[in-house]
Every structure is written in C-alpha cells, then in structure tokens.
Amino acid sequence: MESFFIEPKNVKKNRAFVNGEEFHHLVRVLRKKVGELIYLFDGTGKIYTARITKITKDNAECEIIEENFMRGELNVEIAVGQALLKNPERFEFALEKLTEIGVRQIIPVLTERVIVSKNPKDISPNKIERWRKIILSACKQSNRAFIPELFEPVVFEEFISLEKYEKKIIFHESEVKSLNRVLLYDYLKNLKNVGSILLAIGPEGGFTDEEIEKAVESGFDVVSLGCRRLRSETSSIVSAGVISQFFISETKNL
C-alpha cells in the first residue's frame, strides 16, 4: 500500500484527513477511490492503516483501522553529517537512501574541500526545502513512520562540536598509523549498549588532515570502510547501512 503524510492535527479519534499536496497526489496522481486501504504517517513515529471513506474537492476523509508506533525503526539513533557535494544530484541521492535505511538526523556539512560554498548562509531556503521534500518522498516510498530531522547546513567546526551522541565516527582513508584507524566491522564488534551514533562523511577529496585532527580532539574515532576509495554518497549509504544491520542483528540476539 502507498503511504501518505498527514499533519498530527489532522488525526481526530478514529478519523484522519488528507489534504494539500498529499491529497493531490492521492486523488489526482494515484487516483485512489473510496473504500481503498492506504497507510498514513504523521512523521513523529505514528503510522496508521486507514480506509478512504469520503473524497471532497479539498480532502480525503479516512477511517483509521489500525495504529502503530515507530514500526520498523532502529533501536539506535544514527545521525549522518554529510558534506555537501559538487554534484547536487549525488547529495540528494544520499539524502534519499539514508532516509530509507533509517537514519534519524541528516546534517549538511561545509568542509574545507567542499566546492559549493564555505558559508551556510549561501545555501538557499529553496534548496533546503527541496531536500526536505526528497526526504519526505523517501519516507513514503519506504513506509517509514518517522521523518528524519534535516539540520540547517553547518560548518565543520560547528558540526564536530555536537555533543549529544554517545559515539562519534569520522570515516577516513588515510594510512597514518597515529590515527589508530580501525575497520568498521572491527569497530562495531566492540560497541555495547550504544543508543546514538554520529557519522562524519567527507566531500570529494575527503577530509583534510587538519580536519581529522580536530575531529579526533573532539571525541571522534577514525574508522575505515576498506581499501577501496568510495564516492562520498556511497560511503554514507554503506556505513549507515552496515551499522543499521549490525544493530538489527544485535537486537535479535538479545
């Protein structure tokens, strides 16, 4: 079944109302009819199985048949700091896939080697709104109950100062021994009872040595994804995907 986003205020007891762009998509694009079953989600974790009971010119009224909370969400909170990329389509691809994987927060980061801009104020509100729509669309496609939080773009120094995460990882391909770099698989084997993880993914060309040093000073562990040089968006998807699967298997083994 297809999923549609509704504002929490549009859920009243056992009734829900789909309006705005979602109503247009439901009626004009997918041509849903009265009597059909759909999923509804409010972005905060609640997801409903509902039956369309009435369609007017402005909204679709639905009867809520079943309500679930945080269905399919990971037990660990994964946040990804993704450096902006020269090719906007690659950055948007990362947003889409990170949402599908189950990431809770996505933080656009401006690093030394980012070509797009060095100032967060240069990122237009229209572009950020487009990113939010991509994330929402990915939630609908993957039947997620929770919409990942998209942070405002930040500079690298502000990003590494975030403190609420229990573990912070920066991915780097350097062979410098002083960094005590470990493979992601070996790193995860030593994690126990972790509730939140922050990942740092660099732009084309990766992080500078100075940025790595600053991150380590701020509590980041340096981790490798292997000997191949991956594209930035690939690194995001692989790292978040491996970590999410690790914690899913850990939960099953409890």
Side-chain angles (χ1 to χ4, degrees), residues 164-180:
K164 75 170 200 171
Y165 302 96
E166 295 175 40
K167 286 291 182 180
K168 300 194 287 187
I169 300 171
I170 188 164
F171 289 94
H172 191 53
E173 70 279 3
S174 173
E175 296 292 344
V176 178
K177 293 183 179 180
S178 62
L179 293 177
N180 296 319

Side-chain angles (χ1 to χ4, degrees), residues 180-230:
N180 296 319
R181 187 185 65 156
V182 297
L183 289 170
L184 178 58
Y185 177 77
D186 294 327
Y187 183 87
L188 292 175
K189 287 192 298 185
N190 294 318
L191 287 187
K192 299 295 181 182
N193 301 318
V194 174
S196 60
I197 301 177
L198 176 62
L199 312 181
I201 308 294
E204 297 93 344
F207 294 109
T208 65
D209 290 342
E210 183 180 3
E211 286 173 331
I212 294 295
E213 291 174 3
K214 288 181 178 179
V216 171
E217 291 172 358
S218 296
F220 279 79
D221 297 319
V222 184
V223 175
S224 169
L225 289 173
C227 60
R228 291 186 177 86
R229 181 175 295 177
L230 304 179

Side-chain angles (χ1 to χ4, degrees), residues 41 71-74 78 80 91-106 131-149 236-238 240-242 244-245 248:
F41 70 104
R71 185 177 65 186
E73 291 295 318
L74 301 172
I78 302 174
V80 176
F91 182 82
E92 292 171 357
F93 181 77
L95 293 180
E96 179 182 79
K97 300 310 172 187
L98 290 173
T99 300
E100 292 177 18
I101 289 168
V103 165
R104 292 284 187 89
Q105 292 105 27
I106 302 174
W131 294 343
R132 296 188 194 282
K133 289 182 178 180
I134 289 170
I135 289 172
L136 176 59
S137 178
C139 283
K140 293 163 62 177
Q141 186 278 326
S142 58
N143 284 337
R144 275 199 76 177
F146 184 89
I147 300 177
E149 179 183 3
S236 278
I237 296 164
V238 170
V242 169
S244 67
Q245 288 300 307
I248 288 174

